[in-house]
């Protein structure tokens, strides 16, 4: 297969990419010919696929069941989900998750990390998503995080269920320290998560400090543990919204540790702008972590959708550029180069968080996983929320879209 006339990130001019045996064989400006299997990118931006580093596939499309989250708080979301999850079945989870995955494919996503609630004595959602993972593996890489939504120490047998989930095949271990009954439980829960990750050689992704409490300091503990165990590149902290409310000297000190530890931060802009600040009057905090400053401090940061129509968030189409858009507005990352670089938030930086960089990127020898976007460059793509025209997976087209045609009176 040949993709000709591609515009590549950080490169001038038009490029041709030849693909052999599902891998990128050559990237060149010389003319190449393949009459049978050739896509003309026609000068459109051609990149590695989008990465969705944080979504809850077990809860997608359950908004309104049993009723809508009217307060808009994380806490009402968790209560509603506790009700809804009593009714989940394997088929219920699989059908909804696959609907979300179809949406993700249509957006040009090929790599996904999903959290799966393990505070369920039957672990139904996890069993269902392990099946989905296997069924969709040719079109999407799905990582599963064993996520104890109602706590490791605060939920009955939370620790045992978490370990069981890891044994069943979860790729990463989670925790939710800010939601545990006490600070002490929070620390204990982090110890448990790290212990399991080490015992079973898994990644770590902690729902960390998703609260507006400036005293919620679990991120420092996560980073210190990762540093001590030298596993920073395998560790992510998601949400970290309390950081928005930390005082600057504390944040400054924390950044040094985050950098030393080399952990990843995953922000969920639309979700947390919606969920946070709900106990404020005015001024209302934005409740989004300090993405701009984290990036400036050299800390790997990415952005994610988190929810699609679930008890926490009523909207969501998993368009990665919408998350970028919301992030660069809320975090004031609107310098020209900052806008261009923000494309990394849903591509390279997210791939790093998922620990998949060896197989990710438009480079000779890597798997031919490629998207062609209806835009000339990153700036245009972000400004227009441009759709993906092609998604190519190991050299095979898995998505093809005709650009929209509009007839309009000329002026
Ligand atoms: N669970 C949680 O603790 N936080 C969230 N933002 C979602 C689920 C979506
Ligand atoms: Fe989340």
């Amino acid at each position: 297969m040949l993709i000709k006339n591609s515009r590549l990130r950080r490169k001038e001019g038009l490029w041709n990419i030849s693909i052999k045996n599902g891998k990128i064989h050559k990237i060149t400006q010389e003319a190449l010919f393949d009459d049978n299997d050739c896509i003309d990118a026609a000068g459109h931006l051609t990149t590695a696929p989008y990465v969705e580093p944080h979504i809850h596939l077990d809860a997608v499309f359950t908004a309104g069941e049993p009723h809508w989250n009217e307060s808009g708080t994380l806490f009402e979301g968790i209560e509603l989900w506790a009700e809804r999850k009593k009714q989940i079945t394997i088929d219920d989870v699989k059908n909804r998750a696959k609907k979300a995955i179809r949406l993700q494919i249509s957006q040009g996503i090929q790599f996904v990390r999903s959290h799966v609630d393990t505070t369920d004595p039957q672990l139904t959602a996890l069993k269902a998503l392990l099946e989905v993972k296997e069924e969709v593996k040719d079109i999407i890489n799905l990582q599963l995080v064993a996520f104890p939504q109602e706590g490791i120490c605060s939920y009955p047998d939370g620790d045992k269920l978490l370990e069981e989930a890891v044994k069943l095949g979860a790729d990463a271990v989670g925790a939710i320290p800010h939601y545990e009954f006490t600070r002490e439980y929070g620390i204990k829960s982090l110890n448990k998560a790290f212990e399991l990750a080490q015992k079973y050689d898994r990644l770590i992704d902690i729902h960390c400090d998703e609260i507006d409490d400036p005293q919620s300091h679990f991120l420092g503990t996560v980073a210190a543990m990762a540093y001590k165990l030298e596993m920073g590149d395998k560790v992510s902290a998601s949400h970290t919204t309390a950081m928005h409310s930390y005082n600057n000297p504390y944040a400054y000190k924390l950044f040094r540790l985050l950098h030393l530890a080399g952990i990843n931060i995953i922000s969920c802009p639309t979700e947390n702008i919606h969920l946070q600040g709900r106990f404020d009057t005015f001024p209302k905090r934005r409740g989004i972590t300090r993405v701009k400053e984290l990036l400036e401090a050299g800390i790997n940061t990415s952005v994610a959708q988190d929810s699609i129509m679930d008890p926490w968030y009523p909207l969501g189409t998993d368009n990665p550029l919408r998350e970028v858009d919301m992030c660069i507005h809320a975090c004031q990352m609107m310098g020209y180069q900052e806008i261009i670089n923000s494309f990394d938030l849903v591509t390279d930086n997210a791939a790093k968080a998922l620990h998949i960089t060896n197989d990710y990127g438009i480079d000779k020898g890597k798997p031919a996983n490629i998207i062609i976007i209806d835009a000339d460059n990153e700036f245009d793509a972000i400004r227009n929320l441009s759709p993906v025209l092609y998604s190519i997976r190991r050299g095979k087209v898995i998505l093809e879209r005709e650009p929209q045609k509009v007839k309009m009176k000329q002026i």
Side-chain angles (χ1 to χ4, degrees):
M1 180 192 244
L2 175 67
I3 303 172
K4 62 178 187 181
N5 301 320
S6 289
R7 224 177 279 280
L8 299 178
R9 297 189 69 200
R10 304 182 190 98
K11 279 201 168 97
E12 293 293 318
L14 296 179
W15 296 79
N16 303 316
I17 305 170
S18 80
I19 297 167
K20 276 198 185 143
N21 302 324
K23 294 203 165 152
I24 297 175
H25 177 64
K26 206 181 220 183
I27 305 170
T28 176
Q29 291 197 294
E30 287 162 32
L32 297 176
F33 298 98
D34 186 337
D35 292 339
N36 298 326
D37 199 2
C38 179
I39 292 172
D40 187 356
H44 289 125
L45 178 63
T46 303
T47 76
Y50 292 126
V51 179
E52 171 51 86
H54 186 127
I55 186 101
H56 295 254
L57 284 179
D58 53 350
V60 290
F61 302 112
T62 61
E65 301 167 16
H67 61 80
W68 292 79
N69 183 339
E70 297 296 346
S71 68
T73 60
L74 171 73
F75 306 106
E76 185 173 343
I78 297 177
E79 277 168 32
L80 285 169
W81 173 240
E83 281 303 307
R84 178 58 176 82
K85 79 179 166 191
K86 288 180 192 153
Q87 291 153 26
I88 59 171
T89 62
I90 297 273
D91 282 346
D92 168 47
V93 175
K94 284 180 75 173
N95 290 337
R96 289 184 291 97
K98 282 190 176 171
K99 189 170 158 188
I101 290 170
R102 286 195 291 277
L103 203 52
Q104 291 171 331
I105 295 294
S106 81
Q107 305 285 17
I109 294 169
Q110 288 188 25
F111 302 89
V112 175
R113 174 179 284 179
S114 175
H115 297 259
V116 196
D117 187 2
T118 58
T119 48
D120 159 19
Q122 270 72 51
L123 295 175
T124 306
L126 182 77
K127 289 172 189 160
L129 283 171
L130 283 166
E131 286 183 25
V132 171
K133 175 181 168 163
E134 183 59 26
E135 288 167 27
V136 301
K137 68 173 192 283
D138 290 339
I139 55 164
I140 212 154
N141 288 62
L142 180 56
Q143 274 183 7
L144 299 177
V145 185
F147 169 53
Q149 176 69 74
E150 295 184 60
I152 296 175
C153 303
S154 311
Y155 187 80
D157 288 332
D159 54 347
K160 295 196 184 72
L161 290 165
L162 189 64
E163 180 156 8
E164 185 59 28
V166 175
K167 279 196 206 155
L168 282 174
D171 304 279
V173 189
I176 184 166
H178 56 276
Y179 189 70
E180 298 281 358
F181 292 153
T182 63
R183 192 200 72 93
E184 289 71 21
Y185 278 18
I187 302 289
K188 206 170 146 201
S189 74
L190 290 177
N191 279 316
K192 186 74 198 173
F194 273 81
E195 177 199 313
L196 290 178
Q198 286 208 297
K199 182 168 168 192
Y200 295 96
D201 190 21
R202 299 296 202 268
L203 303 170
I204 291 180
D205 192 330
I206 308 291
H207 273 66
C208 199
D209 304 317
E210 190 185 16
I211 190 163
D212 293 320
D213 175 9
Q215 307 294 338
S216 189
H217 285 183
F218 293 107
L219 178 56
T221 308
V222 170
M225 287 180 176
Y227 178 60
K228 190 150 194 202
L229 298 170
E230 295 181 17
M231 57 189 298
D233 59 331
K234 291 182 164 181
V235 176
S236 296
S238 287
H239 298 290
T240 69
T241 59
M243 191 195 293
H244 191 96
S245 303
Y246 294 162
N247 63 60
N248 288 336
Y250 178 74
Y252 182 85
K253 180 194 130 179
L254 176 65
F255 276 24
R256 175 172 174 268
L257 173 60
L258 295 176
H259 193 258
L260 273 176
I263 69 167
N264 307 285
I265 301 288
I266 301 172
S267 171
C268 304
T270 52
E271 180 94 16
N272 286 126
I273 288 167
H274 161 64
L275 290 178
Q276 307 311 131
R278 291 288 180 161
F279 299 94
D280 290 358
T281 51
F282 284 95
K284 285 188 192 188
R285 284 166 287 177
R286 292 175 195 179
I288 177 167
T289 198
R290 301 187 189 194
V291 177
K292 180 185 177 106
E293 294 74 16
L294 285 162
L295 289 169
E296 282 170 1
I299 296 151
N300 186 55
T301 307
S302 51
V303 299
Q305 167 80 70
D306 202 18
S307 291
I308 301 171
M309 295 191 78
D310 71 12
W312 294 274
Y313 185 74
L315 307 177
T317 58
D318 219 338
N319 182 346
L321 296 181
R322 189 158 169 265
E323 295 309 317
V324 170
D325 184 39
M326 190 63 85
C327 175
I328 62 177
H329 280 84
C331 298
Q332 300 183 325
M333 295 161 60
M334 299 284 240
Y336 179 67
Q337 197 59 44
E338 264 179 322
I339 294 175
I340 291 173
N341 291 348
S342 68
F343 196 81
D344 290 340
L345 295 169
V346 286
T347 53
D348 293 0
N349 295 9
K352 198 166 171 212
L354 264 58
H355 219 255
I356 54 170
T357 43
N358 286 348
D359 281 341
Y360 182 86
I362 306 292
D363 294 312
K364 187 175 155 65
K366 291 202 171 170
N369 300 325
I370 298 168
I371 57 174
I372 302 173
I373 303 170
D374 191 11
D376 290 349
N377 51 47
E378 300 96 321
F379 190 98
D380 281 355
I382 291 166
R383 189 174 76 86
N384 295 314
L385 303 178
S386 305
V388 166
L389 300 176
Y390 286 92
S391 182
I392 294 153
R393 175 92 168 163
R394 298 188 196 118
K396 296 214 165 64
V397 175
I398 59 167
L399 173 85
E400 199 174 336
R401 176 180 280 118
E402 298 264 319
Q404 208 184 358
K405 281 211 180 90
V406 181
K407 278 193 189 163
M408 194 169 79
K409 207 168 169 55
Q410 292 302 312
I411 53 167

